[in-house]
Amino acid sequence: MSATNSSNDKTNDTAATSQQTITTQKEKEIHLDEKGNEICNIFLNRGKCRYGKKCHRSHNVPELIAAEYYERRRRKEHELENKKKQKNGDNNNSGKKSKTVANNQGDGNHRIAINYIHDHVETYNNLYLTSLFRGELKNNCGNVLCKDMCSIESCRKTLLNHKSLKKELTEGLSVLHLIGTLLGDNGSANMAGGGKYGVSTTNGGGNCNGDNNNGNEKIVSFAGLQNIQKPVRIIDVGSGKGIFSVLSALAFCSPNATTETRLSCIYMVDSDRNMNLSYLECTPQLSSKITFHNFDIYSKSFELWVMNQYNQCVEQGEILIMVGLH
């Protein structure tokens, strides 16, 4: 009888200890917003919640907490990528066949969306894509996408190989062309209404009458981006995977840029913190200019953050551009 009681006591102690551990873990996972309300863990981890506005917990995540979760996820992605590389290296050493990444010309088994767009750009009758791969953006933007970034696995999987890539490239390039047209002559004066949007002047970034390298195709000129006289800060609202942010970082890094032309930074803003953004570390142009910020754009915290960015731009003499492509 005493042995049975002793066994029951041990079981109860174990259960109590287990319950205490679970309670402690739950307490560690509780986060509070600016008003002291408990933040929804599902929204914090996934960037969305099935209950939406009906959820009893807060979806207003402070930037510091969001940044902590994003940094933790990025470290985990880097660890997984390093393990995968190490595994591929071990397979090579043991004589097993490993996956190879095709270059721009690559073999047919490894071609992805960006390769097909590059090779068939003449058939699309698309001035923006022609300018990207045949015009003045070819060296610092088109070649980087098709060769340098295309050789990196994370870029191939998450950024450069999906059905809507052609549409997203066209949209992003059209916005860059508009920015160059509005700001290329005289910066803030054009934004205030003094500049005239059009496609007739090269300085304004909108000459559509230029020819490509073969001399038989029309292209769009992005020269206006290199004539902006003030530093530019871009907020890419609802960035998704970040096609527009990548195009902006590469397009502003032209060797023809004047000494006054500077891209201050690009902020990718999205509510999905589970995106694989490890490709942002693949080139210096991206890693030094682009940062990701997790926000619900309908929240008060996002509004305050935007106002803070605006005040900083006013103090530092920068141009703030907010772009939302959907």
Side-chain angles (χ1 to χ4, degrees), residues 229-265:
Q229 299 302 314
K230 293 183 179 181
V232 174
R233 183 179 303 194
I234 297 176
I235 300 179
D236 187 1
V237 182
S239 62
K241 297 175 182 178
I243 285 289
F244 173 73
S245 296
V246 170
L247 288 173
S248 300
L250 297 176
F252 272 95
C253 294
S254 170
N256 298 324
T258 60
T259 55
E260 293 83 4
T261 303
R262 295 191 305 277
L263 176 64
S264 176
C265 56

Side-chain angles (χ1 to χ4, degrees), residues 176-194:
L176 282 174
H177 173 245
L178 177 60
I179 291 173
T181 302
L182 291 176
L183 303 180
D185 288 329
N186 195 18
S188 58
N190 286 340
M191 291 299 291

Side-chain angles (χ1 to χ4, degrees), residues 144 149 155 159 245-250 253 266 279-291:
V144 174
M149 294 180 65
C155 295
L159 191 69
S245 296
V246 170
L247 288 173
S248 300
L250 297 176
C253 294
I266 300 174
Y279 68 86
L280 293 178
E281 306 295 330
C282 69
T283 65
Q285 296 100 313
L286 304 186
S287 60
S288 62
K289 297 297 183 183
I290 303 177
T291 55

